[in-house]
């Protein structure tokens, strides 16, 4: 598991580099992922057959949890096509954070299923969109309209590793 790997790596670094550190919780800006007031528009399960056929760039084996994002230009405007298959909301929150949110996303939906969907949205461009570019949905608008979810600005606790000391030269094997 992730925790086992973290502990094993921590012991290795302590042994080889004399690393001393501690973990503490700090509050940072984030988004919380919640079900929108308009209601959830996702169904538990696999992608509909039409979605699978219309997107040949992704070939996911059936009944496998995974997600992928494809970034492209449309009319000189950066776009993202995101495809998620059988993922829990915690992983969907992470995928949204990596695909366009400028802060971490924390799942507060209370949903326990595994969901599949495709989502297209425009990347924000500092200074606005180029003239003549057709308006495209932002990540926040697409998530709400297409998925029935909402990203709300908040503050959330995250674990932070604070380095106390270490040796510059590692010990021998």
């Amino acid at each position: 598991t992730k925790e086992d790997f973290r502990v094993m790596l921590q012991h290795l670094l302590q042994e080889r580099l004399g690393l001393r550190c501690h973990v503490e919780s700090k509050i940072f800006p984030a988004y919380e992922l919640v079900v929108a007031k308009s209601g959830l528009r996702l169904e538990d399960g696999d992608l509909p057959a039409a979605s699978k056929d219309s997107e040949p760039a992704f070939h996911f084996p059936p009944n496998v949890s995974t997600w992928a994002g494809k970034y492209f230009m449309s009319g000189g405007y950066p776009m993202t096509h995101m495809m998620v298959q059988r993922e829990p909301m915690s992983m969907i929150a992470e995928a949204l954070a990596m695909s366009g949110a400028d802060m971490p996303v924390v799942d507060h939906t209370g949903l326990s299923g595994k969901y599949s969907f495709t989502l297209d949205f425009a990347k924000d461009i500092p200074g606005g969109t180029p003239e003549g570019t057709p308006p495209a949905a932002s990540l926040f608008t697409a998530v709400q309209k297409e998925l029935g979810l909402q990203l709300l600005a908040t503050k959330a606790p995250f674990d932070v590793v604070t380095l106390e000391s270490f040796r510059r030269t590692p010990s021998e094997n």
Side-chain angles (χ1 to χ4, degrees):
T1 66
K2 265 186 181 179
E3 183 63 23
D4 293 336
F5 178 75
R6 186 189 66 77
V7 169
M8 186 175 69
L9 184 59
Q10 185 176 357
H11 287 307
L12 175 68
L13 293 172
Q14 285 172 344
E15 185 179 298
R16 295 287 315 272
L17 296 173
L19 179 73
R20 289 190 28 193
C21 61
H22 67 273
V23 177
E24 57 186 297
S25 184
K26 290 192 175 188
I27 304 294
F28 291 99
Y31 292 112
E32 72 178 325
L33 183 66
V34 297
V35 175
K37 290 179 183 168
S38 59
L40 187 66
R41 291 191 175 97
L42 287 174
E43 291 185 25
D44 202 349
D46 288 324
L47 286 167
S51 294
K52 289 179 183 174
D53 295 338
S54 65
E55 221 11 87
F58 301 106
H59 295 285
F60 297 147
N63 300 318
V64 171
S65 294
T66 190
W67 76 272
K70 179 172 67 174
Y71 307 98
F72 60 98
M73 298 294 283
S74 175
Y77 196 69
M79 302 284 294
T80 299
H81 176 79
M82 183 178 184
M83 187 176 208
V84 173
Q85 180 174 289
R86 300 183 52 75
E87 287 289 358
M89 277 296 154
S90 59
M91 282 302 299
I92 291 170
E94 284 186 37
L96 290 171
M98 291 190 288
S99 294
D102 56 348
M103 294 186 284
V105 177
V106 181
D107 172 29
H108 285 160
T109 61
L111 301 171
S112 60
K114 290 189 174 184
Y115 299 90
S116 300
F117 61 87
T118 59
L119 186 67
D120 293 301
F121 58 91
K123 296 290 233 177
D124 288 330
I125 297 178
T129 62
E131 248 184 79
T133 302
S138 71
L139 170 65
F140 301 91
T141 302
V143 164
Q144 188 165 354
K145 286 185 177 179
E146 301 297 321
L147 307 181
L149 299 170
Q150 197 169 6
L151 290 166
L152 303 174
T154 188
K155 292 187 178 200
F158 293 94
D159 287 343
V160 177
V161 176
T162 303
L163 183 63
E164 296 169 7
S165 66
F166 66 95
R167 288 190 308 268
R168 290 200 181 268
T169 306
S171 63
E172 292 186 24
N173 286 334

